[in-house]
């Protein structure tokens, strides 16, 4: 049986100071896994030397690759990373939110799942964020249920996606910014792929990089655009 391969996609923007400690920690989380791993650092529009630091880290470990994009766009970075990935599983981590335990569980569920989502809302999860952010996750999920009939409890956060889902679904996704991964999950759910959710422990390692409230208007507009796009595709 061939060795399982995993591509870890990590969007990064203005993380020059954070990368030197975070990347070795991420690689250490991957070391115990029974799989061959690559890490794709997807830099997008940084102005603080992130590219230089990321390339230095890649030069020290051949598991690390750097992708650069000219404009700051989280979803576009995700799309580029998914497009450049080669693993049997493609994993989305943030540079300050990753877990080897989640990946080990995803591999364990591999025979029964096409997507594995780390949910902040299923029984057994431990969401230690502030009340406003927890409420935002709840409201966002209610919107997904109302607009799309989605049954998943959390589309934002760590996720592991099987290669065939990436190949079929990722090219269909039109969203960038904050909603690439949400649209990916919605489309995969509608296509009948098997989705499993596992409990997540969420403990913020640092202050949020952007204001939660500032993202609300564009998130609402983005969800409506997804709804209209799916309606046009019917």
């Amino acid at each position: 049986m061939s060795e399982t391969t995993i591509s870890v996609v990590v969007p990064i923007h203005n993380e020059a100071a954070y990368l030197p400690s975070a990347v070795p920690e991420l690689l250490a989380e991957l070391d115990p896994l029974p799989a061959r791993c690559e890490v794709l650092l997807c830099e997008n529009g940084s102005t603080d030397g992130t590219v230089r630091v990321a390339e230095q880290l890649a030069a020290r470990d051949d598991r690390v690759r750097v992708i650069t994009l000219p404009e700051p766009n989280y979803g576009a970075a995700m799309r580029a990373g998914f497009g450049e990935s080669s693993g049997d599983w493609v994993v989305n981590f943030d540079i300050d939110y990753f877990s080897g335990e989640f990946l080990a569980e995803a591999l364990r569920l591999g025979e029964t799942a096409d997507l594995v989502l780390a949910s902040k809302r299923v029984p057994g999860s431990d969401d230690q964020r502030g009340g406003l952010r927890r409420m935002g996750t709840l409201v966002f999920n209610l919107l997904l249920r109302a607009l799309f009939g989605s049954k998943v409890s959390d589309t934002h956060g760590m996720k592991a996606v099987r290669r065939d889902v990436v190949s079929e679904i990722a090219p269909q996704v039109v969203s960038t910014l904050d909603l690439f991964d949400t649209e990916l999950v919605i489309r995969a759910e509608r296509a009948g792929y098997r989705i499993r959710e596992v409990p997540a422990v969420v403990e913020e390692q640092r202050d949020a990089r952007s204001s939660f409230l500032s993202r609300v208007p564009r998130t609402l507009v983005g969800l409506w655009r997804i709804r209209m796009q799916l309606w046009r595709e019917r």
Side-chain angles (χ1 to χ4, degrees):
M1 181 180 296
S2 61
E3 183 181 29
T4 300
T5 56
I6 297 174
S7 296
V8 180
V9 175
V10 187
I12 53 174
H13 173 75
N14 286 347
E15 298 285 9
Y18 199 71
L19 286 174
S21 60
V23 171
E25 290 177 10
L26 170 57
L27 293 171
E29 290 281 316
L30 303 179
D31 283 338
L33 296 174
R36 180 164 51 87
C37 300
E38 66 171 353
V39 175
L40 305 177
L41 298 177
C42 302
E43 184 281 326
N44 55 111
S46 297
T47 58
D48 69 341
T50 291
V51 174
R52 174 180 53 81
V53 175
E55 289 177 344
Q56 289 173 348
L57 292 165
R60 297 173 193 166
D61 194 307
D62 60 10
R63 290 174 293 177
V64 180
R65 287 199 284 143
V66 181
I67 299 170
T68 60
L69 300 176
E71 300 295 332
N73 188 316
Y74 181 90
M78 286 268 287
R79 180 192 302 279
F82 272 58
E84 290 285 334
S85 67
S86 60
D88 303 318
W89 287 88
V90 182
V91 175
N92 169 218
F93 283 162
D94 287 337
I95 195 59
D96 57 358
Y97 182 40
F98 49 79
S99 168
E101 290 184 5
F102 164 74
L103 270 183
E105 179 68 4
L107 292 176
R108 189 184 70 80
L109 295 172
E111 294 301 317
T112 62
D114 302 305
L115 284 85
V116 182
L117 308 178
S119 172
K120 299 178 284 292
R121 300 190 59 243
V122 296
S125 62
D126 182 12
D127 188 353
Q128 301 176 24
R129 299 174 303 159
L132 181 62
R133 295 177 73 84
R134 294 198 305 272
M135 179 61 68
T137 296
L138 172 61
V139 172
F140 185 80
N141 181 249
L142 292 174
L143 286 172
L144 295 185
R145 291 176 182 270
L147 291 172
F148 307 105
S150 176
K151 293 182 171 58
V152 302
S153 69
D154 191 1
T155 62
H156 275 58
M158 298 181 293
K159 55 185 63 64
V161 188
R162 193 184 290 277
R163 166 57 52 189
D164 54 352
V165 181
V166 173
S167 298
E168 178 186 351
I169 302 298
Q172 302 174 17
V173 176
V174 297
S175 300
T176 57
L177 295 176
D178 309 313
L179 295 176
F180 175 88
D181 50 347
T182 292
E183 184 180 343
L184 179 76
V185 173
I186 290 170
R187 286 182 176 274
E189 186 179 19
R190 289 187 162 212
Y193 283 105
R194 301 167 299 172
I195 299 177
R196 297 284 298 273
E197 295 187 275
V198 299
V201 176
V202 184
E203 181 180 3
E204 292 183 325
Q205 302 298 314
R206 54 181 176 169
D207 293 337
R209 301 293 303 280
S210 61
S211 166
F212 167 76
L213 293 177
S214 69
R215 298 200 305 270
V216 171
R218 73 172 184 245
T219 296
L220 294 175
V221 171
L223 288 175
W224 185 249
R225 286 175 175 167
I226 296 172
R227 180 68 184 87
M228 291 298 95
Q229 179 66 28
L230 293 176
W231 181 80
R232 287 192 291 267
E233 294 175 7
R234 289 171 52 185

